[in-house]
Amino acid sequence: MKPRRGLALAARITAVLLLVLALAAAILMQPDRLARIVLGAVGDAAGLDIAFSGEARYRLRGTPLLEVHDLSVRVPGHDAPLLDAGRALVSLPWSTVRRRGAGPVVLERIELDRPVLDLPRLQAWLAERPAGDGRLPTLDRGIAVRDGRVLGDGWLLRDLQLRIPALAPDAPVRGTARGTLDTASPPLVHFDLGLAASRPADGAGRGARGRLRFEHPDWRLPAAIAASGPLRMDGDALWAAPLRVGISAAFVGDGDPLPFTLGAHGPLRLRGGTATLAPATLVLHGGGQVPALQARGRAALGRALLLEFEGSMPAW
């Protein structure tokens, strides 16, 4: 090759490289465009439409980070969103970026502000996914949810504050959850709980310990609770079978408070805004004010409280 031709070819290659770098710089200088490219690729991989209408920012130095405002996640062809969030932040290592979703999903951290999750839509979407496609990701620095809402079938979980410092499918995990369960009829259930699971991937060894407060227009029931049992989703129902519960509480209505302790064992199902425990074994102690009771039967809490038990009261 003649020197002049070599110089000309080198000049053309240099010009092309400079053009590519200029285009790349133009994209990187526009966070909105970069965020739409990234979220579009994630949506294509998951079979979802992911968009945002607010501001966006990114960080490529160190661990890549992407933050967007007014996020919306929809199943293609559906108008109603599966998930909305006022703000969403995802940071992930370069190794995950290079794999482009192949193999286990490893992230650094997820933050969601004011998310609204439509649980029935999520369950319907998961039911259409290939078997084994819903594996949990690994989150080295965990997940934080602020002021979240979960829309269920006949119930609403609101004011949700969730903190999980780290998450791995096959490793023990701990976290905290605080919020209010609203079934559109009294009572409201306020909770502030510590959560633990031995293997979150299969639902084994789940437990909760903390405070509950039932609020009814005519009464209230503050309680300390400890509960444990395997947890799983079955269609549109949430199961804990068997569930073991210990409660120390006081019924506050007209007159003096009535303290008691209660132990319960049996399969719990939450579906359509109604929680059922059947068949259940109950052991109740009331310190003389509430009769001691040992019984078997069933209980349900939804639009009304249903109790059907047979047992014995050694003393009244």
Side-chain angles (χ1 to χ4, degrees):
M1 181 181 295
K2 294 183 179 180
R4 289 185 179 179
R5 291 183 179 179
L7 290 173
L9 180 59
R12 290 176 182 177
I13 293 175
T14 300
V16 171
L17 290 176
L18 290 174
L19 178 60
V20 171
L21 289 174
L23 291 174
I27 293 176
L28 293 177
M29 290 297 289
Q30 301 181 46
D32 285 3
R33 181 175 297 182
L34 177 63
R36 295 184 197 284
I37 292 173
V38 173
L39 294 179
V42 172
D44 291 342
L48 294 168
D49 291 335
I50 304 178
F52 67 97
S53 58
E55 295 180 330
R57 73 181 184 93
Y58 65 91
R59 183 191 69 196
L60 299 180
R61 181 182 301 174
T63 301
L65 176 149
L66 178 65
E67 179 185 71
V68 297
H69 291 254
D70 300 326
L71 177 76
S72 180
V73 180
R74 288 177 168 79
V75 177
H78 292 245
D79 293 332
L82 183 154
L83 172 70
D84 279 339
R87 169 183 170 270
L89 178 147
V90 179
S91 59
L92 64 167
W94 282 109
S95 57
T96 298
V97 177
R98 289 191 293 267
R99 283 200 303 267
R100 297 183 180 180
V105 180
V106 178
L107 306 175
E108 184 179 76
R109 183 169 174 81
I110 293 177
E111 295 181 7
L112 296 173
D113 291 351
R114 303 180 304 282
V116 180
L117 174 66
D118 190 321
L119 187 58
R121 288 186 180 276
L122 173 64
Q123 292 169 330
W125 174 71
L126 289 174
E128 298 175 354
R129 304 295 293 170
D133 194 48
R135 62 184 183 272
L136 289 173
T138 295
L139 292 162
D140 293 333
R141 293 183 53 233
I143 183 171
V145 174
R146 303 177 185 89
D147 195 20
R149 303 176 69 183
V150 178
L151 309 179
D153 183 9
W155 56 271
L156 166 66
L157 195 64
R158 57 180 172 84
D159 306 323
L160 178 63
Q161 314 292 326
L162 178 66
R163 298 287 186 277
I164 299 176
L167 176 66
D170 297 314
V173 62
R174 293 185 179 276
T176 60
R178 185 171 71 251
T180 298
L181 176 63
D182 188 345
T183 60
S185 61
L188 295 175
V189 184
H190 307 283
F191 59 89
D192 188 351
L193 302 171
L195 308 175
S198 58
R199 293 192 307 276
D202 58 14
R206 308 235 175 159
R209 182 183 297 270
R211 308 291 301 183
L212 298 178
R213 189 175 78 256
F214 296 83
E215 283 192 358
H216 188 276
D218 301 323
W219 53 267
R220 58 189 176 89
L221 185 71
I225 184 173
S228 63
L231 189 66
R232 63 184 177 87
M233 299 292 298
D234 185 6
D236 59 351
L238 181 68
W239 282 88
L243 178 71
R244 295 175 176 85
V245 180
I247 296 176
S248 176
F251 179 86
V252 182
D254 293 335
D256 295 333
L258 298 176
F260 64 90
T261 59
L262 174 68
H265 178 273
L268 174 73
R269 183 177 73 166
L270 178 61
R271 181 179 184 182
T274 300
T276 59
L277 188 66
T281 300
L282 294 183
V283 178
L284 175 66
H285 296 284
Q289 299 184 63
V290 176
L293 169 67
Q294 294 183 0
R296 286 184 58 83
R298 64 192 181 106
L301 176 63
R303 296 187 178 277
L305 175 63
L306 170 67
L307 296 173
E308 292 183 354
F309 286 92
E310 293 183 358
S312 62
M313 292 182 182
W316 180 258

